[in-house]
Amino acid sequence: MTETKIYHIGIQSRNEIVSHAAKTILDGGLVVFPTETVYGLGADALNPRAVKRIFEVKGRPTDNPLIVHVSSINMAATIGKDIPHLFYDLAERFWPGPLTMIVKKANIVPDITTAGLPKVAIRMPAKDIVLDIISTAGRPIAAPSANLSGKPSPTTVEHVIDDLSGKVDIIIDGGQCDIGLESTVIDVTCNVPRIYRPGGLPLEEIEGIVGTLEYIPYSDGKVLSPGQKYRHYAPQARLIVYYGPGYNDVIVREIKKHLVLGRKVGILCVEEHRDIYNKAGASEIICLGNKADARSISKNLFAALREMDKRGVDVILSEGFEERGLGLAIMDRLMKASEQVITHNTMVENNEGSH
Ligand code: TXA
Ligand code: MG
């Protein structure tokens, strides 16, 4: 057990938090901090022993590389090599923000940080206190999402405490994360830049600058990035996602079937559809937001998956979302967390046996 110090932004002084966190990073410790996407579990990216602790604490497979967080484009340039122009164009436009870029790595980045890969993923998060910690430490910080491997990424400090209390040195409470889904990951070393993970920055916005992108949706079953092959974000209950024509009716039928079998059913849906499922007899309904409000849906999704487990439901039936804008990342996470995706009344088995 490690003694975990919890700080609350707005209660303790910012200077106190920043200086203790920066010192802890330089001492090889672990600091959990909020970002605009999800909470991150940070360590000195250039200290292999500190980075090893991240993998141990999360129970993360060692072939899954970490994102390195920087406080400036200059700092990014010290950990990359042969960095293409496009990297700088995108950084100017979207940093700080939910965009992670992959470039060739410089020798100072230890192999463990990139899981032995010759490339490093870099991001500048849009959270001032984190940028202060990085610049005060004067070190780039490696940080995966601050959840135990396989669980939904944490978007509130309670999620972090559930997973990591007693395992890290510092947890910084910054309230609920704004975006609620992880950053978009793009490899800018290829001729046609390649999206490894859709995320908080919609692909349409990147396309506005880059032109064509290569993106292979998760549902195609091909694995490009090491992180994509693991079952992710998974709640304990079975999650089934429904979309396509008539999906409301299919969910209503399913609710009734599960209730007859004595199962406790959870529903994830948009506000406009609450009554439909309420009338069908579902008691555990979490509305993620209004239909037109993708930001609210993304912000609430991971918290809702964790909440369903707290409520002890046996099965979660979720509405699907249109795969455009933030909806693409929302559906990517839902599909990765699910056991089945049912579209146009066709069933696709998903993640079988990997629960
Ligand atoms: O929003 C985020 O990106 C959050 C916050 C904390 O910044 N971080 C995050 O980290 O989501 P993590 O470790 O949970 O996800 C990193 C993803 C994984 O899918 C990993 O495989 C991929 O980025 N990745 C990292 N480095 C890579 C590399 N060199 N090549 C290919 N994929 C890489
Ligand atoms: Mg993660």
Side-chain angles (χ1 to χ4, degrees):
M1 283 287 273
T2 307
E3 197 186 323
T4 303
K5 169 84 186 160
I6 301 181
Y7 285 109
H8 305 273
I9 296 173
I11 296 182
Q12 283 89 8
S13 90
R14 191 188 169 97
N15 279 350
E16 183 189 346
I17 301 174
V18 170
S19 64
H20 188 193
K23 182 174 180 306
T24 302
I25 292 289
L26 287 175
D27 288 345
L30 298 181
V31 177
V32 175
F33 49 77
T35 79
E36 80 282 27
T37 58
V38 300
Y39 278 78
L41 165 59
D44 181 349
L46 307 184
N47 176 344
R49 262 187 305 171
V51 172
K52 186 159 177 271
R53 278 188 69 198
I54 292 181
F55 284 95
E56 289 166 356
V57 157
K58 272 185 69 98
R60 181 180 177 104
T62 49
D63 64 352
N64 193 1
L66 305 179
I67 293 174
V68 179
H69 296 68
V70 296
S71 56
S72 66
I73 296 178
N74 281 345
M75 187 185 270
T78 66
I79 56 174
K81 201 169 66 180
D82 306 334
I83 300 178
H85 278 297
L86 180 60
F87 175 93
Y88 294 100
D89 292 344
L90 292 174
E92 290 288 344
R93 174 70 183 79
F94 297 115
W95 277 5
L99 177 68
T100 295
M101 286 186 273
I102 294 176
V103 296
K104 278 193 207 155
K105 88 172 182 73
N107 289 336
I108 55 162
V109 181
D111 283 338
I112 187 169
T113 303
T114 62
L117 295 175
K119 295 181 191 175
V120 61
I122 314 177
R123 157 165 135 82
M124 189 195 300
K127 194 82 177 173
D128 288 346
I129 196 162
V130 181
L131 298 179
D132 280 359
I133 294 168
I134 299 168
S135 59
T136 303
R139 307 286 268 196
I141 295 183
S145 49
N147 51 290
L148 294 175
S149 212
K151 289 244 249 158
S153 296
T155 54
T156 69
V157 79
E158 288 78 21
H159 303 158
V160 174
I161 291 171
D162 283 348
D163 283 12
L164 298 180
S165 183
K167 297 182 173 155
V168 299
D169 301 289
I170 295 179
I171 294 175
I172 302 171
D173 171 12
Q176 187 176 6
C177 300
D178 214 34
I179 296 176
L181 296 175
E182 305 86 342
S183 60
T184 301
V185 180
I186 183 172
D187 186 335
V188 291
T189 66
C190 325
N191 275 341
V192 179
R194 185 179 284 167
I195 298 294
Y196 281 166
R197 177 178 75 183
L201 183 67
L203 299 198
E204 293 86 344
E205 290 203 37
I206 305 175
E207 273 163 351
I209 292 195
V210 173
T212 315
L213 285 176
E214 185 182 331
Y215 171 58
I216 301 178
Y218 174 72
S219 45
D220 279 13
K222 282 200 197 97
V223 172
L224 285 178
S225 170
Q228 303 298 89
K229 69 173 179 256
Y230 297 105
R231 183 153 195 241
H232 262 110
Y233 317 113
Q236 271 140 35
R238 288 172 59 205
L239 168 67
I240 307 169
V241 182
Y242 298 84
Y243 67 121
Y247 71 92
N248 294 133
D249 298 335
V250 181
I251 294 178
V252 165
R253 267 206 318 271
E254 288 299 306
I255 292 172
K256 293 182 173 158
K257 228 163 71 187
H258 287 295
L259 290 177
V260 167
L261 292 168
R263 296 191 184 125
K264 190 167 175 182
V265 185
I267 302 290
L268 297 182
C269 63
V270 293
E271 198 66 57
E272 291 87 335
H273 297 158
R274 179 196 290 273
D275 283 351
I276 303 177
Y277 304 127
N278 209 357
K279 280 200 194 107
S283 55
E284 305 299 337
I285 302 176
I286 299 181
C287 295
L288 299 170
N290 289 330
K291 212 171 175 173
D293 189 359
R295 286 199 72 112
S296 153
I297 293 165
S298 80
K299 183 169 178 172
N300 294 319
L301 178 64
F302 286 149
L305 291 176
R306 284 183 181 249
E307 173 62 22
M308 283 298 182
D309 278 340
K310 287 227 157 101
R311 296 189 190 180
V313 303
D314 300 306
V315 58
I316 305 169
L317 313 180
S318 177
E319 296 188 329
F321 299 90
E322 204 185 331
E323 289 179 284
R324 96 188 140 72
L326 270 178
L328 185 68
I330 293 169
M331 277 302 275
D332 173 82
R333 305 305 189 270
L334 266 175
M335 288 194 274
K336 281 182 193 156
S338 70
E339 211 155 87
Q340 288 173 352
V341 179
I342 299 187
T343 156
H344 306 278
N345 300 335
T346 318
M347 193 172 81
V348 185
E349 287 292 337
N350 195 21
N351 297 306
E352 213 181 355
S354 56
H355 215 29

